[in-house]
Amino acid sequence: MPASATTPPWPDLPARVPERSIRTYGSGARGGSSTVFDVFGYDDTLLYKKYATPRSETNLDRLVAMYRGLDADAAAFVRHRYAWPLAVVAGGDATVAGVLIPRVAMTYRAHLSTKKVRVRDLNYLLYEARAARVGVEPASLREKLTLIRALVEALLWLESRGLVHEDLAAHNLVWTLRPAPTVLLLDCDSIRPARSPVDEPLYTSTDWTDPRVLTGDTPRPDHASTVYTVGLLAARVLSSPSWRPSDADGAPGGQAPAGLAVVLSDSVRASLPRPSLSDWMSALDDVIAGMTEDGPELTATGVTSGEPLPRTSLTYAVKGRLAVAAGFVIGAVAAVVLLTVLL
C-alpha cells in the first residue's frame, strides 16, 4: 500500500550511527526509560530516542536489518503503520545508546483550538468529548471500527513474522481520519520475537497489559496478549475509556456492535483460550460490511463515558464563540426593549 499519503520518505541510513555524529536540539521529551530528541538534518524526518537503561542490542539490530531487507511493498506498509527503528545509535564505548526513529507525520498531529499541536494518540479517541472541546474532530462509529481494523491488520503483519509488540497502550497508538482512518504504532523498539527469551526489563503499561503477564503466568507478552489488548482497546473505544473486563460481566455495551460481542468478550478473558487476530479481522469485516448507512454514522448509542459526545462538524471551541455572539445579540435586544419601555 502507498505510504506517501500519510508519511514522508524515510532517509537512507546505515544500520549503525555513532552518537557523536548526531546533532540534537531541544530539551527532549522524557519517557519512562528514554528521552526523545529532535535531530538536525535529514529533512526534519528523524528523532533520536536515547535510552536511560540498556536495551537488547541483538533485538534492535534484528529490527533494523528486517526493515532494510523488505521488498518495496512490505517496506511501504511498514512506513505506513509503524514508527520503525531505522538505525542503532552506538555510544562512545560501542554499546547501544539509542535508536533513530521516524518523526510522526503531521497527518497524525492534532491542531488544537488552544493553538498547540499535539500527536493525536489514542487518548484523543477515548476521551472524545474532552478532545472535541479543544478542536479534535470526533470519529463516527464506522471510523472507529475502521481504526480498530487498521490496528488488527498491523498486528497481524507482525504476527505473521513471529513478532509481538510488548507495549501496546493508548499513548503508543496514534491515529488519523484523513485521508482515511489509519493507525500508526509507536515505541516499535518494543517489538520482540514471540516466545523468545529476552534478557532485559519488560516495559509495559499496566492498565493495558495481559493479566497473564502481570501474574507471571507468562514471562512476556505473546500473541494471546496482543488479542487481549485489542479486545480491551475495542471495548474502551466503543464504550467507555474506564471500562474493565469485570464491568457488566464482560459486556461493554455503548457503541459496541452485537457482531463483535463474542470475539470481544472472549478476548478479555483473564486466561486462555482467546480468539485469534484473524477472528477479529473477520468479525470487523462482517460488521463494517453490514452497516446500512452510506456515510459515517453520526449518532451515539448509549456511550457510557459520562460526557455527551458531539456528532456535528462544530467543535466546542466554535460553539463557545457562537454562544458568546448570541449572548451579545440577546443582550442588545433586551437593552433596546428596556429603553423603549423607560422612554
Side-chain angles (χ1 to χ4, degrees), residues 153-176:
E153 184 180 29
L155 297 173
L156 267 170
W157 190 91
L158 293 178
E159 182 181 85
S160 70
R161 285 155 177 80
L163 301 172
V164 61
H165 194 303
E166 290 193 328
D167 193 11
L168 291 173
H171 63 279
N172 282 333
L173 300 169
V174 298
W175 57 282
T176 182

Side-chain angles (χ1 to χ4, degrees), residues 166-169 171 202-207 209 213-214 221:
E166 290 193 328
D167 193 11
L168 291 173
H171 63 279
L202 174 62
Y203 300 100
T204 64
S205 304
T206 303
D207 194 40
T209 301
V213 176
L214 297 177

Side-chain angles (χ1 to χ4, degrees), residues 113-190:
S113 58
T114 59
K115 308 303 182 184
K116 297 180 179 179
V117 178
R118 293 287 184 267
V119 173
R120 193 189 298 103
D121 68 26
L122 195 72
N123 288 301
Y124 285 102
L125 190 66
L126 294 173
Y127 300 94
E128 55 185 350
R130 299 177 193 174
R133 293 191 185 110
V134 290
V136 177
E137 177 186 5
S140 69
L141 175 57
R142 183 189 296 276
E143 288 167 334
K144 290 177 182 178
L145 293 171
T146 305
L147 288 170
I148 296 170
R149 187 192 185 283
L151 173 62
V152 172
E153 184 180 29
L155 297 173
L156 267 170
W157 190 91
L158 293 178
E159 182 181 85
S160 70
R161 285 155 177 80
L163 301 172
V164 61
H165 194 303
E166 290 193 328
D167 193 11
L168 291 173
H171 63 279
N172 282 333
L173 300 169
V174 298
W175 57 282
T176 182
L177 300 179
R178 305 289 179 267
T182 309
V183 173
L184 182 77
L185 278 66
L186 305 183
D187 203 14
C188 290
D189 50 349
S190 292

Side-chain angles (χ1 to χ4, degrees), residues 23-186:
R23 297 171 57 224
T24 64
Y25 61 95
S27 58
R30 189 176 300 278
S33 61
S34 61
T35 304
V36 177
F37 295 93
D38 293 290
V39 177
F40 282 109
Y42 305 105
D43 295 325
D44 202 30
T45 59
L46 291 183
L47 299 172
Y48 172 34
K49 185 174 184 179
K50 182 178 178 63
Y51 296 136
T53 55
R55 292 291 182 98
S56 170
E57 181 175 353
T58 300
N59 186 67
L60 293 172
D61 284 336
R62 180 191 296 115
L63 290 174
V64 171
M66 180 179 172
Y67 172 72
R68 295 164 67 88
L70 295 174
D71 61 36
D73 289 341
F77 181 80
V78 169
R79 289 193 297 272
H80 193 61
R81 295 295 176 85
Y82 314 89
W84 200 272
L86 301 181
V88 175
V89 177
D93 55 357
T95 60
V96 171
V99 287
L100 290 176
I101 57 176
R103 181 187 297 275
V104 174
M106 290 304 296
T107 305
Y108 294 103
R109 297 178 184 269
H111 295 261
L112 307 182
S113 58
T114 59
K115 308 303 182 184
K116 297 180 179 179
V117 178
R118 293 287 184 267
V119 173
R120 193 189 298 103
D121 68 26
L122 195 72
N123 288 301
Y124 285 102
L125 190 66
L126 294 173
Y127 300 94
E128 55 185 350
R130 299 177 193 174
R133 293 191 185 110
V134 290
V136 177
E137 177 186 5
S140 69
L141 175 57
R142 183 189 296 276
E143 288 167 334
K144 290 177 182 178
L145 293 171
T146 305
L147 288 170
I148 296 170
R149 187 192 185 283
L151 173 62
V152 172
E153 184 180 29
L155 297 173
L156 267 170
W157 190 91
L158 293 178
E159 182 181 85
S160 70
R161 285 155 177 80
L163 301 172
V164 61
H165 194 303
E166 290 193 328
D167 193 11
L168 291 173
H171 63 279
N172 282 333
L173 300 169
V174 298
W175 57 282
T176 182
L177 300 179
R178 305 289 179 267
T182 309
V183 173
L184 182 77
L185 278 66
L186 305 183

